[in-house]
Amino acid sequence: MAVTRELPTKALIGGMWVTGSGPLMEVRSAWSERVVSRIATCTAADVDRAVQAARVAQPGWAGLALVERVELVREMHRVVVAHGEELAQMITLETGKTINETREEIYEYSAPSYQKAAEEVLRHRGMTLPSTQERANNKRLILSHRPVGVVAVITPYNFPTDIASIAIAHAVASGNTVVWKPSEWAATSCAMLAELFAEAGFPSGVVNLVQGYGEVGAALVEHDDVDAVFFTGSTATGEKISRAAGLKKQLLELGGDGPQIVLADADIDAAVEGAVLGCFYLAGQVCTSAERILVHEHVHDEFVRKLKLRTASLRVGDPTDEATEMGPLCNDTTLARVTKHVEDARARGAEVIQFGKPDGVFYPPTILTGVTPEMEIARNETFGPVAPIIKISSTDEAIRIANDSDLGLNAAVYTRDLATAFRVGEALQHGTVNINESTNYWDQLAPFGGTGKSGVGRELSQWFLDTFTETKLLNIDLNDAPKGDRRVLRDVAED
Ligand code: NAD
């Protein structure tokens, strides 16, 4: 089913769809060589209008009864599902994600984010604290959460509606308003998602959308009236954003280095399946991809043989075909990086095994053996369909190589020994370590985020709500009895 209706080409500011004042941006589908749409980009003045619209809408939105806010957020779940197929088709056209992957993105992740945020905000509890500062029973200390205000949401191309939905759902559920700058590679599908907030009944100005390239995101981050920044994207962009954001609250989800460790006692078939998912799902364009596979020498040859067999069976090609298991890369920037990393590995002595010939952004599933930690492919995020295999001779060596990285998002360890699983899991510096599961495994209610240059903070469920609310303490004196003696600590010391 191709999307045939008129596509949104404007920005959403204060409930109105307005033409951005900047030049037209061609949204290109690299794999189909089509121009999907022409969207007017926003200028700094447009960004300012969007931020002001969010600012004006915020007090009223935060002032709604919580159950009313929650009803609207929950309604968004239903509306996204109702429009799911056209959203999935558009993401496939824009980014080259396979139609199965985009349906999963919509129905498993994007839409349920609204349901989950609506549930989670009801459980975002405050607390009362004991009074310890004086010898009297006069004080009541009450801790609650209040929204930070206006949140900038800047998102990447690989899960364009999922990552945005997670952020927007939690930000608005907790009483914030949002200005969203989606990826230029998925700007049409993201605008289609933005249209749905009105259908769900959201008041004007609660969710605003600005369009364009990096400079539009930069204008948003720098804007004085933005209170918090949510960003998911590359480490290089994240570092720029972090510097520009100054004292604004920040949640940054950046690149990954995904080590998958396969120890001598591992279930090799399970480890091979983990590598196929970790390296070839979404053609490897996942922050949690298996970027380095560290395989013990005792099982190395068996692992490589089985991985080759399994990879040869993958159906690669047209992302709109439901039978396709791996599609193309999204864009030429990604293609150039993947090609550079593979050629660097080849030049330094790795064996390159490809299951097909590179054809534009259709890059074949690729296995590299004989990879060493110095090669670029093992040092920097590749973000492509490549399984680089490093042979290791001990568990300690695996830990050392895995931790020799600036990044630290997801890692995976395959072993049948419980003690080893704990020891290695605890020794790895990564934000998440999956035992006997692919690096790509995550849970929508568990904290997600990386260490080092993989990010700042944790997203999902309560961790998201904590970031996008301020902790507010109310100290109340009942004022119905004399003030208490404050010499609490001196008296204790004298006792
Ligand atoms: P990118 O950094 O190129 O772009 C992401 C967004 O930032 C886009 O909307 C872009 O227009 C905007 N942008 C660019 N420069 C900016 C600036 N100076 N100020 C503000 N905004 C700016 O990333 P990408 O290529 O779209 O996505 C791939 C990267 O995202 C990979 O590194 C991947 O690991 C990472 N990623 C991380 C996670 C995570 O949860 N850790 C999830 C998905 C993707």
Side-chain angles (χ1 to χ4, degrees):
M1 179 195 95
V3 180
T4 49
R5 70 174 177 90
E6 195 181 329
L7 299 176
T9 57
K10 298 181 177 177
L12 175 60
I13 299 179
M16 305 289 289
W17 286 91
V18 295
T19 304
S21 316
L24 281 184
M25 165 175 85
E26 286 191 339
V27 182
R28 291 185 169 277
S29 160
W31 71 272
S32 68
E33 297 177 346
R34 274 177 58 186
V35 175
V36 179
S37 64
R38 289 183 176 79
I39 291 182
T41 57
C42 291
T43 59
D46 298 327
V47 169
D48 180 54
R49 277 190 282 280
V51 173
Q52 294 315 331
R55 171 63 65 211
V56 168
Q58 199 272 329
W61 176 245
L64 275 186
L66 178 60
V67 287
E68 290 179 76
R69 254 188 0 244
V70 159
E71 272 165 16
L72 290 172
V73 176
R74 205 178 275 140
E75 178 64 4
M76 208 31 206
H77 179 201
R78 192 194 63 73
V79 174
V80 174
V81 170
H83 292 268
E85 184 58 22
E86 70 170 15
L87 284 170
Q89 294 283 348
M90 183 51 73
I91 301 172
T92 292
L93 175 60
E94 288 187 302
T95 67
K97 288 182 80 156
T98 70
I99 189 64
N100 295 327
E101 289 164 347
T102 55
R103 286 180 184 148
E104 185 183 7
E105 168 163 359
I106 296 298
Y107 298 114
E108 301 291 325
Y109 305 131
S110 307
S113 291
Y114 297 96
Q115 182 74 26
K116 290 192 158 69
E119 289 166 1
E120 200 63 37
V121 76
L122 297 177
R123 297 180 185 83
H124 196 217
R125 298 189 169 102
M127 61 170 82
T128 61
L129 297 156
S131 160
T132 64
Q133 207 56 38
E134 57 190 31
R135 290 173 182 271
N137 185 19
N138 288 358
K139 293 288 193 293
R140 300 293 181 269
L141 278 55
I142 301 169
L143 191 149
S144 63
H145 308 286
R146 58 179 281 271
V148 289
V150 175
V151 179
V153 172
I154 301 171
T155 48
Y157 73 73
N158 63 339
F159 289 89
T161 62
D162 163 35
I163 288 170
S165 291
I166 294 171
I168 296 171
H170 288 84
V172 300
S174 48
N176 302 286
T177 52
V178 163
V179 182
W180 174 25
K181 207 303 275 178
S183 168
E184 52 272 37
W185 293 101
T188 322
S189 43
C190 290
M192 287 163 66
L193 177 70
E195 288 179 328
L196 303 184
F197 288 95
E199 186 174 331
F202 274 65
S204 297
V206 173
V207 177
N208 303 274
L209 176 84
V210 290
Q211 293 278 24
Y213 300 100
E215 63 267 21
V216 180
L220 190 52
V221 172
E222 286 160 17
H223 197 291
D224 284 341
D225 246 351
V226 163
D227 301 295
V229 177
F230 169 86
F231 171 72
T232 296
S234 63
T235 293
T237 308
E239 287 191 306
K240 284 187 208 160
I241 287 181
S242 183
R243 274 193 287 273
L247 297 178
K248 295 179 177 105
K249 283 196 150 204
Q250 295 170 46
L251 208 170
L252 308 178
E253 299 288 351
L254 312 177
D257 65 346
Q260 172 178 327
I261 299 174
V262 183
L263 295 176
D265 67 343
D267 175 339
I268 299 303
D269 293 333
V272 165
E273 283 311 309
V276 169
L277 186 64
C279 299
F280 305 130
Y281 180 85
L282 184 42
Q285 300 162 105
V286 186
C287 54
T288 53
S289 284
E291 290 271 335
R292 302 171 287 162
I293 307 191
L294 312 174
V295 187
H296 195 281
E297 58 192 4
H298 290 170
V299 291
H300 175 272
D301 293 355
E302 180 190 356
F303 178 86
V304 171
R305 183 171 47 79
K306 288 182 167 171
L307 182 62
K308 281 186 197 168
L309 269 177
R310 182 67 179 82
T311 306
S313 77
L314 283 177
R315 288 186 295 266
V316 180
D318 180 356
T320 63
D321 184 342
E322 287 179 358
T324 298
E325 292 172 292
M326 196 190 99
L329 296 168
C330 174
N331 56 45
D332 288 341
T333 312
T334 307
L335 173 66
R337 188 178 51 243
V338 174
T339 307
K340 181 165 167 278
H341 284 192
V342 170
E343 293 316 316
D344 171 78
R346 193 198 303 272
R348 295 188 199 211
E351 188 192 355
V352 179
I353 306 142
Q354 293 196 308
F355 298 82
K357 286 201 175 355
D359 176 15
V361 286
F362 286 87
Y363 197 87
T366 300
I367 296 173
L368 304 184
T369 58
V371 172
T372 57
E374 303 73 47
M375 293 177 183
E376 197 172 355
I377 197 136
R379 301 221 65 78
N380 295 312
E381 185 184 47
T382 302
F383 218 56
V386 187
I389 298 173
I390 300 175
K391 196 189 275 188
I392 47 142
S393 53
S394 72
T395 305
D396 285 348
E397 185 188 6
I399 294 169
R400 188 170 44 71
I401 294 173
N403 282 345
D404 182 21
S405 168
D406 289 343
L407 305 173
L409 194 55
N410 277 25
V413 184
Y414 284 81
T415 175
R416 286 193 170 93
D417 184 68
L418 185 61
T420 305
F422 268 96
R423 295 284 181 205
V424 180
E426 287 164 4
L428 292 176
Q429 67 192 4
H430 297 73
T432 297
V433 179
N434 295 326
I435 309 293
N436 297 321
E437 246 305 349
S438 152
T439 52
N440 272 341
Y441 181 83
W442 62 295
D443 187 293
Q444 289 176 67
L445 291 183
F448 180 88
T451 60
K453 292 188 174 182
S454 279
V456 176
R458 293 290 179 274
E459 64 172 307
L460 301 176
S461 91
Q462 76 188 62
W463 294 275
F464 227 128
L465 298 177
D466 286 345
T467 303
F468 291 119
T469 53
E470 296 283 3
T471 298
K472 174 72 167 268
L473 182 66
L474 212 55
N475 291 324
I476 302 169
D477 192 299
L478 300 181
N479 204 23
D480 58 354
K483 298 278 183 208
D485 185 345
R486 300 202 173 176
R487 293 171 302 165
V488 177
L489 291 178
R490 199 197 69 192
D491 291 355
V492 168
E494 282 174 359
D495 289 349

